[in-house]
Amino acid sequence: GGVYVLENFLHYLSEKNQEWAKKDKKDIAIAIQGFGNVGYYFAQEAYKRGYKIVALSDSKGAIFSEEGFSPEEVRKHKEKTTSVKGFAGAKDISNEELLELPVDILVPAALESVITQDNAAKVQAKMIIEMANGPVTPEADIILLEKGIYSVPDILSNAGGVTVSYFEWAQNIQGYYWEEKEVEEKLKKIMDKASQLVWENFNSLQENNKGANLRLAAYSLAVRRVVQAMTLRGKI
């Protein structure tokens, strides 16, 4: 789900004449903090699509290589050594240093509140895809907006898991199960539509409020939907 969102926003930003978003996939550098289920699978899916994974981390530290590396090879190394550190051809760095690398995309996929008012000014990524829950604090949001960094909020970019959980519920109710390809197609359709609606709302909000960011766009859209649903049900 997060990779679908990534590709959608790269498309939107390239249409907005953000030159870095127009680069070939192989030249778009991605740094991912976290190498659990979320971080590993994001890295693997992005790598399979041709993006360059230049940094990964776990609780023990991080690695960086300007040339990039295979997430699968890093996984094998971690299984043998219990950490991503020491991976051949990569430099060992700290989790804090990973957040400040000069990359195109930064993916915090581990802990909450890792980008704060204390380090937000040092973030050099051009776009953040939030895959952890609440990795960016409200104070950091203001700084990132002033720096012109697009931060895609967790309620959108990390919605793939709960969406597929809904699919599981729907299949169980029916007693009928879909193939993996069908699940991915249904997920992509939902994530693409959600990305489009948030982007459109963001542009609409910015016409009247230059301080609006993607988080406000996502939250206001969500609140509007809840109000509409409650109205239809006669709750308002």
Side-chain angles (χ1 to χ4, degrees):
V3 175
Y4 292 147
V5 170
L6 164 67
E7 298 209 303
N8 279 314
F9 277 86
L10 283 174
H11 171 69
Y12 300 145
L13 291 171
S14 66
E15 287 190 331
K16 205 170 183 175
N17 291 320
Q18 295 283 332
E19 292 303 320
W20 67 270
K22 297 179 181 180
K23 294 191 294 187
D24 290 339
K25 290 182 178 181
K26 63 181 176 61
D27 297 320
I28 292 181
I30 302 178
I32 302 171
Q33 186 193 47
F35 203 54
N37 279 339
V38 176
Y40 167 71
Y41 285 107
F42 187 102
Q44 187 69 349
E45 288 300 317
Y47 181 78
K48 281 164 53 178
R49 285 167 169 77
Y51 295 96
K52 183 166 64 170
I53 309 302
V54 299
L56 290 168
S57 76
D58 57 24
S59 61
K60 297 180 180 179
I63 54 173
F64 169 71
S65 169
E66 193 171 338
E67 290 73 33
F69 39 64
S70 161
E72 180 61 19
E73 292 303 313
V74 176
R75 183 189 66 79
K76 292 177 182 177
H77 169 78
K78 180 177 170 65
E79 285 182 348
K80 293 179 181 178
T81 66
T82 74
S83 175
V84 300
K85 292 175 65 177
F87 182 71
K91 175 185 177 182
D92 286 349
I93 60 174
S94 68
N95 266 285
E96 291 73 25
E97 289 175 307
L98 181 148
L99 296 172
E100 301 169 10
L101 289 170
V103 295
D104 298 298
I105 312 293
L106 173 62
V107 184
L111 304 171
E112 65 179 356
S113 301
V114 293
I115 300 176
T116 68
Q117 62 183 349
D118 297 325
N119 64 358
K122 300 176 184 177
V123 173
Q124 299 184 65
K126 300 172 182 67
M127 182 164 65
I128 296 171
I129 302 291
E130 298 182 10
M131 294 301 294
N133 293 324
V136 179
T137 67
E139 296 80 10
D141 258 339
I142 297 171
I143 298 170
L144 296 175
L145 181 65
E146 291 173 348
K147 286 172 61 70
I149 297 172
Y150 293 88
S151 186
V152 185
D154 51 359
I155 64 165
L156 172 59
S157 51
N158 195 18
V162 70
T163 301
V164 175
S165 292
Y166 158 71
F167 290 165
E168 292 174 352
W169 173 82
Q171 291 170 86
N172 287 334
I173 290 294
Q174 298 176 79
Y176 176 76
Y177 300 95
W178 309 327
E179 296 293 332
E180 183 177 352
K181 183 179 179 181
E182 185 176 359
V183 171
E184 291 178 352
E185 289 172 350
K186 291 179 183 295
L187 175 62
K188 185 177 188 307
K189 183 177 180 180
I190 288 175
M191 299 305 291
D192 288 353
K193 184 63 175 177
S195 297
Q196 178 189 347
L197 291 173
V198 170
W199 180 250
E200 290 174 351
N201 195 38
F202 168 68
N203 286 309
S204 177
L205 288 172
Q206 277 220 318
E207 289 180 5
N208 302 311
N209 178 12
K210 295 303 179 183
N213 60 11
L214 290 169
R215 192 179 315 282
L216 179 61
Y219 282 9
S220 61
L221 179 63
V223 170
R224 190 185 314 148
R225 284 179 164 180
V226 171
V227 171
Q228 289 171 343
M230 293 179 69
T231 301
L232 289 170
R233 296 179 65 182
K235 301 295 185 180
I236 296 180

